[in-house]
Amino acid sequence: MKNIIRIAVQKSGRLSEDSLSLIKECGIKFYNGTGKLKSTSTNFPIEFLFLRDDDIPGYVADGVADLGIVGENELVEKDKTVEVLKKLGFSKCRLSLAIPKGENYPGLSYFEGKNIATSYPKILSDFLQANQIKAAIHEISGSVEIAPSIGLAEGICDIVSSGSTLMMNGLKEVETIFKSEAVLISHLNLSDEKKEIVDKLLFRMNAVQKGKSNKYVLMNAPNESLDKIAKLIPGMRSPTILPLAQKGWSSVHSVISEDQFWENIEGLRAAGAEGILVVPIEKMIL
């Protein structure tokens, strides 16, 4: 199938929800009913494979899927040869070391000669080796947090988001060894036809993500302050300035990053800007 690409997506969970939400925001329509393992878009040349997240790097490396959306933690742990096309900015988490909360933690030396339970033996092994710590790694799948309480290990290495699961199991986070987010990965040897489709998909993703990180702002401002305000909110090229019916005043329109807006809000107010509106952007084409 030369004129269609396959993308592997986690079949359930938060990563799946965020991945499919991004794809739908790109204007790509498809049906993913409960239990469905494959689906084809009705308006874009793409087919979806719904898989376990730890299987996705292998499917892409082997060419069964052309693209995949997967957490960096799974990508690094599986150590498959693929190309990372784009960091997606969602499903952020960290891989951390944790120990019983009543234990004193002097530093990484705590783990010297001890047992650590994890579902990520490669990442953990690389970290320990880089820090010259010798410890026994016990690979287990799921329910890693229970290992210290049943005497299997003195510590664990597992994915952490809020830390609430650790607390519920009497553990405390002591070291972050890897930070992860969702990434879009690609098979290394795509045909020119498939590369062209991938470029169109990336264009849409970039437009959606650029829109999310920027805001459309408009405000009324005295004409004598326009130069100062234009420097605070330069926009993509320069602000749009329109005269108001009231003499000596103008309406200023611009697009800026949300962080930039909050950094400059006091300066805008000090320059006399009034009636400041901040509007979300659905998509942004540069």
Side-chain angles (χ1 to χ4, degrees):
M1 297 191 296
K2 292 183 178 180
N3 296 320
I4 191 169
I5 58 172
R6 280 180 170 175
I7 183 168
V9 179
Q10 185 178 10
K11 63 182 177 181
S12 62
R14 181 63 184 273
L15 176 59
S16 174
E17 293 171 5
D18 290 340
S19 301
L20 298 180
S21 176
L22 171 61
I23 291 167
K24 288 175 181 176
E25 288 179 279
C26 290
I28 297 172
K29 298 178 181 179
F30 59 95
Y31 174 72
N32 61 308
T34 303
K36 198 170 180 65
L37 299 179
K38 190 168 74 168
S39 179
T40 302
S41 171
T42 58
N43 66 342
F44 193 85
I46 190 168
E47 184 178 64
F48 299 87
L49 302 178
F50 301 105
L51 309 170
R52 284 168 47 102
D53 58 343
D54 54 354
D55 287 335
I56 292 175
Y59 271 70
V60 175
D62 293 341
V64 176
D66 304 301
L67 302 176
I69 297 179
V70 67
E72 285 178 288
N73 54 303
E74 289 294 345
L75 178 61
V76 173
E77 181 63 32
K78 296 305 177 185
D79 196 25
K80 299 294 184 179
T81 304
V82 298
E83 180 182 0
V84 177
L85 296 181
K86 182 177 178 61
K87 291 194 173 187
L88 298 175
F90 55 77
S91 295
K92 293 185 177 181
C93 60
R94 58 193 183 273
L95 187 61
S96 295
L97 289 163
I99 63 175
K101 60 183 179 181
E103 290 284 322
N104 178 52
Y105 183 69
L108 280 175
S109 59
Y110 172 89
F111 294 100
E112 184 69 33
K114 289 189 170 64
N115 300 287
I116 308 174
T118 187
S119 299
Y120 298 90
K122 180 187 181 303
I123 296 177
L124 176 57
S125 177
D126 290 347
F127 176 81
L128 294 175
Q129 186 174 354
N131 288 276
Q132 299 182 324
I133 300 293
K134 293 182 179 180
I137 297 175
H138 294 267
E139 182 179 359
I140 57 178
S141 57
S143 302
V144 176
E145 297 86 359
I146 199 174
S149 66
I150 61 174
L152 177 63
E154 288 83 11
I156 70 165
C157 179
D158 201 19
I159 289 296
V160 179
S161 293
S162 66
S164 59
T165 304
L166 292 179
M167 292 180 61
M168 289 171 58
N169 287 278
L171 301 173
K172 62 181 179 181
E173 184 179 4
V174 292
E175 295 280 350
T176 296
I177 72 168
F178 187 84
K179 291 184 178 179
S180 176
E181 66 180 275
V183 291
L184 178 68
I185 60 174
S186 168
H187 181 63
L188 291 182
N189 299 308
L190 295 182
S191 66
D192 290 340
E193 293 91 344
K194 288 187 175 183
K195 286 180 181 178
E196 187 175 342
I197 299 172
V198 172
D199 286 343
K200 290 179 181 179
L201 177 62
L202 282 171
F203 176 81
R204 296 190 185 198
M205 286 184 171
N206 289 335
V208 170
Q209 291 196 311
K210 197 69 177 176
K212 286 183 177 181
S213 62
N214 288 273
K215 302 296 180 190
Y216 184 80
V217 295
L218 55 155
M219 65 200 71
N220 298 329
N223 288 345
E224 62 266 22
S225 297
L226 292 179
D227 288 343
K228 184 183 294 184
I229 288 174
K231 291 177 181 177
L232 290 171
I233 50 171
M236 291 184 289
R237 191 177 298 274
S238 65
T240 298
I241 299 175
L242 303 171
L244 294 179
Q246 183 179 345
K247 290 185 178 180
W249 283 77
S250 295
S251 176
V252 183
H253 300 231
S254 189
V255 174
I256 61 173
S257 70
E258 187 167 14
D259 290 341
Q260 187 181 25
F261 173 78
W262 289 114
E263 289 171 2
N264 294 329
I265 181 63
E266 295 304 328
L268 293 171
R269 295 176 64 192
E274 298 178 354
I276 302 172
L277 298 180
V278 183
V279 183
I281 299 172
E282 185 174 320
K283 296 175 181 66
M284 185 171 168
I285 312 299
L286 298 179

